[in-house]
Structure formats: structure tokens, C-alpha cells
Amino acid sequence: SGAHGTRTRRSRGEMAPMHPEQVAATEPLLGSASAASATSDNEGDEERGANSRTPTAPTAGGAASLGASLANILISVLGAGQLTLPYVMGQCGLVLGILLLVLFAGVAVYSSELLRALATATKSATYGDVMAKTLGPQWRGWSNGIVSLYAFGTAVSFMIIMVEELHRIVDFFDPMRVHASVPWEENKRLLLVLVTVTIVYPLSLLRDLRALRFTSTFGAVAAVYMTAVVWVYAPWRGGHTMDVCHGGEAGTAGSEAGIGSDSWSGFDGRWVGTDGSAPPQPPGAAPPRLRLWPESAASISAAIPLLSFALNSGWAFVPIYSTMRNPTPRRGSVLIGWAHAVILVNYLAMASVGYLSFCDGVMDNVVDSLPTTAVPVLIARVALVLQLCCGLPLRFHVTAGVLLRPGSGSGVEAPERGERGGCAALFGSWRWIIVQTGLVSLSLLCACTVTELHIVIGLTAAICASCIIYIFPGLAYYQLVNAKPSAAVAAVVAVGV
């Protein structure tokens, strides 16, 4: 009893508000042992609330204000997913793409409301706890596996983005390719290997990632900055109208057409032609054209998972909501509404302006379509790479925690007996090091093999995000209320399927 009380008090001390990325590295969605022991004193009340099939009073919550919780939701959503939105517009057509973006944002709001009701009724602090208390203990393992696979797929996506951004950062300092014989000019993936071995891998071995908490706020600021850069580098005419489809990048089209980087100004990277013409296209290339509607059903089905990926707030909502002060239903709805309103405005700006700038010539990562010689774009690329380098270890921690402790989903395995000093205190046990080495190596191999970002994000979202956002919350809510499926909840599950 004394040991149990000590663990409970320690757990309560650990339940202070945390940034979502830090939470994801230690206990989020995975139903950690610390979260379980933190609520052990109320276990009987939790079971009665879960078995009653009716919402109970909200939990006491934590110390985070509504504003801090709103910032944490934004931090958990804004990021790499928004880079693919102009590409989604190209696949769906601008009109249908905007409609689908608004529709999926609405579905994400409703799904978050379901998770809010589930977290309140079951008094759960993690996504895994919600599933276990409503659908049964075996669903903790299912949710843990889906979340770990989602984290791994996201890590591969991050590395694919880094491949091109690292290469373009180097090109900024050698625009005329004077040093074209260096190894990374012949194989740009060598830069990714170098950064992974020297930065990502050592950080992934650490047992405690609390030092990376600052990267969450940095990532959100970087996401907004990238939207601003895409907006600024759109082909505006006189600052009021846009030359639709006249965006371009000399590093891609110009070099293939035999035009050097001096066709772009040094600081802002704009095309310097006086006739207002678009940058030259490669020989034989068709000019970009604007699509208002999709050309095939296949293009829609390939683009829809990218929207789910960009709007996946379900993975972090439960731990954020549980740490909010006075988490009443009204405050929870205000949190959900404001968060998704800000996200939608940012996404609409990125998607519409990014697509109108490059039309169907936009790349699946819109940053790759921006000028190589522009200083503000360079800052955006450097910020993006730093954000991804710090975000990768957090995702590897989630996956490794599930592999080593599938029952509890703890983010870090405890050192072996006799290894509690020296390197083990810093890096964890030898099993932790082996698993992390395997995860980093496998992710690196996938990123060097698959070059299409939209394929990796699409598969990750179709398999994992659809379960996290739509299917699991809908099924859990059915079980909680023990009622016939409502049309709205059935529609959410159908979207996921």
C-alpha cells in the first residue's frame, strides 16, 4: 500500500501540462503506466462511469488554461501535413478541393467532440485509456499498434521531406554548382544519411526528451511562417492581382532550360523578366493549367487521405483536454471550435495560394516549388529541417515504447538491472538502443527508396489516421451510449472506412 501510494503521488506530479510532442514521447495515446497509476484512486468511479453508458461529470483536469490548451492543439496539428495541401487542390481541382477541405475540417470537429465526450465519461487521460474503457482491454493494444504505425509512417514522411530540403539548402550556397562533383550532388540522399547519423540517431537514443519541448512551439511558428512565405512568393501583379499559374522555380525549370540562377534576384528570388511572363519551362513541357474540378475518381481517392493526415488532431486531443483547467463540455467545445477555425484559415491560405501559384505543376511538397535563391525561403527550409530533426526522435520514442512494452505503451523502457548508471541512465537499456537503431535504420531505408511524399503520407493516413480520427472514436461512442447509431456518428465511421 505504501509503495502504491508513492507511485500514485509521483504519477500525479508527472501529470503537469506538457507540449503534445513531449507527451507523445512519453505517454500519449499509449495509455502509459504513469497515467494509469495517476487515476488509480478513482478506478472504481471510472469503471462505474464507463459501465453506465452515460456521460458523467468532467474530470478535475489540470492546470493548463484554455489559451494554453488551444496553443497545444495548434502545435499538434500544424506541420508537415499542410505542405501537401496545394498538391491536394491539384488532384481534386480547386473548387472540389476547397469544399473537401472545409468538409473534412467539419468532420474533424465532430470527431473531436466525440473524443471529448468519451474522455469526460471515462475520465481518461490518454487515447488508449478511452478505447480500453469503452471497447475492452484488448483495444488498448489495437490503438497502441495503430498509433505506433502512424508515428513510424510520419517519421518516414519527415525524412522524405528532408531529402529535398537539405539538397536545396546546399544549392543556395552553390547556385552555379561550382562544386558539382561533391558526393551529394550525385546522390542527394547522402545528406539525409549524414544528418540522420549525426543528429537524429543520437537524439533518438536518449531516454528523456524533455529538452526538446521548445521545438513544439518552434514548429507551430515555422508552420505559420511557411504559409506566409508561400503567400509572399505567389506571382502577385502590383500587389493586388495574381498571375495564376505563373509561379515557378529557376532551380528546376530554369536549369533544365539552360538558364542560370541569375535569372532570379538574390534576396527575394523573384523572376526579373520585365514583360510579366512566367519562368521558362523545360523543353517539351506543357504549361501549367488551372483545374477547377478533378479529372478522375482515382485522383480524388489518392488525395483524400492527405486531408485526413493534415487534420489529425485526434492523436493529441485527449491528453491535452485532460490537462485543461476545468474541462467542462462548454469549454471543451470552445477549445475545439477555435482550434479548428485557426487551422482551417491557415490551411485555406496555404492550399489556395499555393495551388494558384503553380497550378497542376505544384509539387507534393509546395516548399519544393519555391525559389532556391531566396533568403526568406532559405530560412523557411532551415526551420523546416530543424523542426523535422527534433520531431523524428519523438516519433521513434512512441513506436519503440509500444514494441518494448506493448501492454503499457510506456515511451521509454527502464534500464536493465545493473545498468542504472552511466550510459544506461542517459540512453536506456541495450534493448532500447537496439530497437531505436532498427527503427531509425528502417525509416532511413524507406526514405531513400520511396521518393513520392504523397504516397507515404497517403498510406499512413489511409491506414492509421482514419482509425484514429474516425473509426475508433465512432465505435467507442456507440459502445458508451449503448444506443442505435446516429446518422452523424455513422457518417464519421463511414468516412474513415
Side-chain angles (χ1 to χ4, degrees), residues 22 76 106 159 171 254 311 327 374 436 457 468 473 493:
Q22 181 194 3
S76 69
M159 287 189 172
D171 278 352
L311 290 164
Q436 288 286 44
I457 291 183
I468 296 171
V493 176

Side-chain angles (χ1 to χ4, degrees), residues 287-358:
R289 60 189 180 91
L290 178 66
R291 295 178 185 172
L292 297 180
W293 301 99
E295 293 188 343
S296 66
S299 63
I300 301 176
S301 62
I304 283 179
L306 303 181
L307 292 174
S308 298
F309 185 90
L311 290 164
N312 183 11
S313 59
W315 71 273
F317 177 78
V318 175
I320 292 174
Y321 178 69
S322 67
T323 58
M324 184 175 69
R325 184 169 58 247
N326 189 22
T328 63
R330 177 178 175 81
R331 285 170 59 83
S333 296
V334 170
L335 170 66
I336 294 169
W338 274 106
H340 286 85
V342 174
I343 291 167
L344 182 60
V345 169
N346 183 72
Y347 280 7
L348 287 173
M350 171 69 86
S352 58
V353 176
Y355 177 66
L356 289 173
S357 298
F358 308 102

